[in-house]
Amino acid sequence: MNQKARLTLILSKLATAHTLSLHDIMTLTGASRDTARRDIVKLAANNLVERTYGGISQPNTFSKLDQYLDRNTDLVQTKRALAKTISPHLLAAPLLFLDISTTVACMPQYLNSDDPGTLVTNSLDIADQALRHSNFTTRILGGTLNPEQRAVQGADAIAELHKYRFTTAVLSCAGITPEGIYYAYDSDIALKETLRAQSEQLILVFDHTKVNVKHNFKLLGLDEIDLFVTDQPLPDNLTTLIAPSQLIYA
């Protein structure tokens, strides 16, 4: 299939699906990862699509999910409030994992414990904040560095995760609906699934902009989360599925 045919097919699918991940485009067109990336660049350069956090969308869709460092400036006070609210639940964890997230990156400044444990992360920014502000012993996973997400990813990072049994793991999301928890990148899939298997407690921290938002990949069910932390009252379609004891508001 030549590029013109691929681009026509992608745009036709996007008209009904509204968003497509890189993996979706590869499956749809039968193209390699590199070819699919080139097709995305071509479409974006002609303003036919908007590049998003892990794929493409129709223009002006998911505009908040841009590059990690740009997202750092969004809702700063809300993110700090969420981090401060959940931090007392983390201080006694002997082995804590903090997943890549601009919200989770606010947590290390509140993690000073009389009996500090070990903090493990895949995020360069979280590791930096932990070294600056927390008295937890800090470790970062080994693997391939993703410069856009400023995170360690790949098979080596997943293999290293299997060596741990975390007391608590904290992560955020691209969206949450009654159907489950959504993420943007296909590279998120294996890591999040491994975290669930290797953690005694899984905490999801998210702000109101993620509520009832779907994204590229639904990775976790609501029943796989032990504690939900957010900043505004959730709508009925979610509170009917989450026990009050599992819900904390900042």
Side-chain angles (χ1 to χ4, degrees), residues 84-129:
K84 188 174 183 179
T85 297
I86 194 55
S87 60
H89 298 264
L90 310 178
L91 293 177
L95 189 56
L96 171 66
F97 187 88
L98 298 184
D99 190 28
I100 176 176
S101 159
T102 55
T103 301
V104 179
C106 296
M107 293 178 187
Q109 63 185 295
Y110 304 109
L111 294 180
N112 278 282
S113 173
D114 294 333
D115 185 22
T118 296
L119 185 161
V120 182
T121 185
N122 59 331
S123 164
L124 294 180
D125 297 290
I126 291 173
D128 176 68
Q129 290 299 305

Side-chain angles (χ1 to χ4, degrees), residues 90 92-97 117-120 136-137 139 163-169 198-199:
L90 310 178
L95 189 56
L96 171 66
F97 187 88
T118 296
L119 185 161
V120 182
F136 276 59
T137 299
R139 298 178 183 175
K163 299 176 183 178
Y164 292 100
R165 181 63 182 173
F166 297 106
T167 313
T168 302
Q198 299 302 117
S199 304

Side-chain angles (χ1 to χ4, degrees), residues 149-174:
Q149 292 186 281
R150 295 177 58 81
V152 177
Q153 297 178 332
D156 290 339
I158 301 301
E160 190 171 345
L161 273 182
H162 282 283
K163 299 176 183 178
Y164 292 100
R165 181 63 182 173
F166 297 106
T167 313
T168 302
V170 184
L171 63 158
S172 190
C173 61

